[in-house]
Amino acid sequence: MTMTSSAPGFLDGYLVVDVRDPDELGADSGVSRRFPSYNNAHRYRLRRPPPADRPEVLTRLAMHRAGDLLAGYVGDTFGTEVEVAGPGLQRYCLGMVLAGSMQLRPPNGEAVDADPGRGLIYRGEAGTRFLTEDGCARWNLWIEAQRVERALEGLLGRPPRGALAFAPALDLGAGGGASLKGLMDLLSREVARPDGMAANPLTLASVTDLVVQTMLLGLPHSQRDALERQRREAVVPGTLRRAEAFMRASADQALSLAEVAAAAGCSLRALYAAFRRFRDTTPLAALQAIRLEEVRAALARASEGEAVMAVARRHGFTNRSRLAAAWTRRFGEPLPRDRDRRPRSTD
C-alpha cells in the first residue's frame, strides 16, 4: 500500500476531518466532537505544542463504515496521544502503520511498538492509549466484537471458556498477519467505492467472514489451543473413532489388530496410517494405553483385598515391572502396591 499522510489516494468516499486548529488537539480534544457517534470515543491530543511555522493541516482523520467493518485513516503531522475514552469500543482493531511509528499502551499489559512491518491487533477497551511520532500515518480496520465472538463460538461448538484476547503485535510479513495485510490492502481500496465489493451486501459479508476467520485461525490468541483441540477432533475419521470404541469395549479380551481393523471397517494399513496421522501413535500403543486406563478404573472399583496383578492380568498385563514402568509413563505416579489395598485392621 503506497500512501502518504497528506493525501492518500484511497480516501475518496471516506468522511474526512482535517484538523487545522491546534486547540482541537488540546486537553479537551475538541476534534473528537466532529466524529460520528459510532466513533467519538477517541480523544486526540498533541504530545507537544506545534511550531509557529506549522503546516495548514495538523492531522487528517478519515473513516468509512460498511456493515460490521469500520475503516479509519489517521495522518499525524506531529506526534499525538490518542486515548479510547468513555465505555470504550465494542470492536477489535487491525492496525497497519503506513509511515513513521507508534506505540500501543493497553490498560493492562506491556507497551507494544508498531511500524510499517509490525501492525497491531487489540480490542478498543477504555483506557487504551497510543503515542505516535511526527509523520505517523496509519490505516485501521475495526470489526464488531460480536461478529468475531460469534464466529469463535461457532468454531468451538460451544461458548468459549474465558475472554478472547489477541497477542497485540501483528507480524505483517508472515503467516496470518501477511494474509490479513493482503485483505486490508484490498479493503482500503474497496471499502468506500460506490461500485466496490463492500457496496454488495453479499460480498461484504463474505469478505468480513474471511477477515474474521483469518484472525481466529491465523493469529495467536487466548482461545487458540481450544480451537486446535476442536480442529483435531473434528477431522478424526470415523474409522479411527470406531477402532478406539472397539478397543475400549474389548480391552479385557484377546484382540488382534486385524480384528480391530475389521471392526473399524478399514485395512490394517489404513488403521496404522490413521493412528499415526491423528494420534501420533500406533494401534498397539493405543490399545495398551486403553488397557492401562481400564486397569486403573478396575482397581478403583475392586475390593481392597484384591491384588493389583490379579486385576492387571485380566487386561493382558503379566509382568509387574513392565506394568509399573508403563503406569508411571502414562499417569505420572507409581503403580499401587498390594499392601496399600489390604483392608485396615479394626482392632
Side-chain angles (χ1 to χ4, degrees):
M1 192 184 295
T2 56
M3 310 176 206
T4 66
S5 60
S6 57
F10 70 90
L11 291 185
D12 290 344
Y14 281 63
L15 169 66
V16 178
V17 174
D18 283 339
V19 182
R20 294 179 169 84
D21 183 353
D23 288 341
E24 285 197 301
L25 297 174
D28 70 344
S29 186
V31 67
S32 303
R33 293 190 287 273
R34 297 169 63 185
F35 298 161
S37 60
Y38 56 74
N39 199 48
N40 62 8
H42 287 93
R43 300 290 180 264
Y44 292 81
R45 305 178 187 88
L46 288 174
R47 295 178 64 186
R48 57 184 177 275
D53 59 344
R54 60 182 179 267
E56 182 181 1
V57 176
L58 299 176
T59 290
R60 171 163 290 171
L61 304 149
M63 62 201 72
H64 183 81
R65 192 172 189 176
D68 287 337
L69 302 179
L70 174 62
Y73 168 84
V74 185
D76 293 325
T77 303
F78 302 107
T80 304
E81 177 182 347
V82 186
E83 181 178 2
V84 179
L89 298 164
Q90 297 302 310
R91 304 188 187 105
Y92 291 92
C93 181
L94 295 165
M96 289 195 305
V97 176
L98 310 175
S101 62
M102 62 183 293
Q103 185 179 79
L104 166 67
R105 295 187 177 180
N108 298 299
E110 298 181 356
V112 180
D113 294 324
D115 55 40
R118 191 187 204 200
L120 296 168
I121 179 169
Y122 56 92
R123 185 165 177 154
E125 298 177 354
T128 301
R129 292 192 303 145
F130 312 90
L131 300 180
T132 74
E133 299 298 328
D134 292 359
C136 178
R138 55 202 180 274
W139 191 79
N140 298 322
L141 184 66
W142 293 86
I143 305 168
E144 293 290 341
Q146 189 178 53
R147 181 74 171 257
V148 179
E149 289 156 6
R150 280 202 310 263
L152 173 62
E153 184 171 342
L155 289 170
L156 289 173
R158 56 169 174 77
R161 298 184 180 96
L164 173 63
F166 289 89
L170 185 60
D171 182 357
L172 299 174
S179 298
L180 284 170
K181 182 181 184 303
L183 289 169
M184 293 169 72
D185 284 342
L186 175 64
L187 283 166
S188 70
R189 299 187 298 270
E190 291 283 329
V191 72
R193 281 180 50 198
D195 59 346
M197 63 171 56
N200 184 312
L202 299 181
T203 306
L204 177 61
S206 296
V207 173
T208 303
D209 282 342
L210 181 57
V211 172
V212 170
Q213 295 284 320
T214 306
M215 290 167 58
L216 292 173
L217 299 177
L219 301 180
H221 56 76
S222 58
Q223 300 293 326
R224 186 67 183 267
D225 288 347
L227 280 176
E228 181 60 23
R229 287 193 298 272
Q230 180 67 16
R231 184 195 66 80
R232 287 197 301 266
E233 289 305 311
V235 299
V236 169
T239 53
L240 183 54
R241 296 182 190 276
R242 290 192 294 272
E244 291 173 328
F246 180 70
M247 288 177 176
R248 291 190 184 95
S250 310
D252 60 349
Q253 300 175 29
L255 290 181
S256 70
L257 293 182
E259 289 174 312
V260 176
C266 65
S267 68
L268 192 56
R269 181 177 179 179
L271 185 72
Y272 270 93
F275 271 97
R276 179 58 66 193
R277 178 179 179 186
F278 295 99
R279 297 295 189 233
D280 194 25
T281 189
T282 65
L284 192 59
L287 179 57
Q288 184 189 56
I290 287 171
R291 282 174 167 161
L292 282 169
E293 296 283 356
E294 291 296 319
V295 171
R296 195 184 201 195
L299 285 173
R301 297 190 302 266
S303 63
E304 290 181 342
E306 189 169 10
V308 170
M309 287 309 299
V311 175
R313 285 190 185 95
R314 296 200 296 267
H315 295 85
F317 297 96
T318 58
N319 184 286
R320 186 180 183 92
S321 62
R322 286 198 292 269
L323 172 63
W327 185 282
T328 301
R329 286 195 302 271
R330 180 70 178 171
F331 304 120
E333 61 187 36
L335 180 70
R337 295 170 295 179
D338 288 339
R339 65 173 174 266
D340 295 334
R341 303 186 54 73
R342 292 172 184 164
R344 295 176 181 174
S345 173
T346 58
D347 295 341

